[in-house]
Amino acid sequence: MIAVRNLTRHYRMGPQTVHALDDVTVTIRRGEFVAVMGPSGSGKSTFMNLLGCLDLPDAGRYRLDGTEVAGLSSDALAAVRNRSIGFVFQSFNLLPRQSAIDNVMLPMVYAGVGHALRLEKALAALESVGLGARAGHRPTQLSGGQQQRVAIARALVNDPLLLLADEPTGALDTATSLEIIGLFQRLNRRGITVVLVTHEPEVARFASRVLQFRDGRLIDDQSRDPEIAA
């Protein structure tokens, strides 16, 4: 599913060069649930941005489902993001004045999906995360966990191959975090590849594989079988 070879990303900050990601090689198979861990500045967010086609590497190769994406144009990268990748963030990133179903429909607007089909798929996505009855509610009328479920439904609505989650439980209490991780596990069992960035060992233990980053390098790669059910 994901094949990264010698991936490198450096940033210039005045006279200094920050080695955000340094010669990382890793393969993630279709259907895996992978947690990406590391302290602040370890490179895990840079790694996520590169996997999500939100940034380009300075060196190395990245193949997503057989397609070499490292050298694509910005328009081609946007097409890959919209077609193949779903994103879930810590801050939910929902439009506050739009209803849950309108927020979920947004990626399909960019994909050129007709209105009737957008409504149908958005409602199905909300129902899949247990929020079909809240489709008309605005984010301010929903709890934090419900807002994150809307964000997950939005990430799923274009049937992505890969779900990228950046600290998706960081703004949630423990019980709600377990509900969200349980939802990720159920989606993963449906065949969706999940890559989740977290600094919390309590969250990472529910993944079947953990990648540890430090100082821009991948320093550990552990698989866990069987999974622990949230």
Side-chain angles (χ1 to χ4, degrees):
M1 177 77 185
I2 292 171
V4 166
R5 296 290 179 270
N6 308 115
L7 208 62
T8 299
R9 186 70 171 99
H10 297 161
Y11 298 98
R12 293 289 298 177
M13 296 185 65
Q16 295 184 329
T17 299
V18 177
H19 300 280
L21 210 65
D22 196 6
D23 198 32
V24 171
T25 295
V26 67
T27 299
I28 297 174
R29 295 179 296 277
R30 184 183 298 274
E32 285 197 285
F33 186 165
V34 180
V36 179
M37 296 195 70
S40 178
S42 63
K44 61 184 187 295
S45 293
T46 299
F47 180 67
M48 177 72 83
N49 287 340
L50 292 173
L51 291 189
C53 301
L54 298 171
D55 195 8
L56 291 172
D58 294 312
R61 301 182 65 183
Y62 170 28
R63 293 181 68 84
L64 175 61
D65 198 36
T67 299
E68 182 67 52
V69 298
L72 293 180
S73 68
S74 58
D75 287 344
L77 286 173
V80 169
R81 287 195 300 271
N82 203 46
R83 180 181 68 248
S84 301
I85 305 172
F87 296 91
V88 181
F89 302 98
Q90 177 178 342
S91 58
F92 317 140
N93 289 355
L94 300 177
L95 299 177
R97 296 186 179 182
Q98 300 296 317
S99 66
I101 197 165
D102 286 333
N103 271 281
V104 174
M105 285 196 295
L106 193 59
M108 293 184 288
V109 174
Y110 297 131
V113 178
H115 182 71
L117 184 55
R118 290 204 304 270
L119 279 172
E120 178 184 340
K121 293 188 68 174
L123 184 57
L126 284 170
E127 288 176 344
S128 75
V129 299
L131 284 181
R134 298 296 185 101
H137 288 62
R138 293 183 179 181
T140 54
Q141 298 171 306
L142 301 171
S143 68
Q146 289 171 334
Q147 290 183 61
Q148 191 60 288
R149 286 174 180 267
V150 173
I152 292 170
R154 181 184 57 194
L156 297 174
V157 77
N158 277 338
D159 302 311
L161 301 170
L162 173 64
L163 187 60
L164 297 178
D166 192 358
E167 300 281 3
T169 62
L172 305 176
D173 61 62
T174 300
T176 306
S177 295
L178 286 174
E179 292 178 5
I180 296 301
I181 294 301
L183 177 55
F184 280 127
Q185 288 182 324
R186 292 195 294 275
L187 294 171
N188 178 244
R189 286 194 291 270
R190 282 170 36 188
I192 296 175
T193 305
V194 178
V195 179
L196 181 152
V197 167
T198 182
H199 67 278
E200 301 175 85
E202 298 83 0
V203 171
R205 70 192 181 100
F206 296 111
S208 56
R209 185 177 173 193
V210 178
L211 305 179
Q212 287 275 0
F213 282 78
R214 184 175 293 276
D215 297 328
R217 291 183 173 271
L218 177 62
I219 62 169
D220 195 25
D221 182 350
Q222 292 187 2
S223 294
R224 301 175 178 183
D225 189 33
E227 294 181 3
I228 303 172

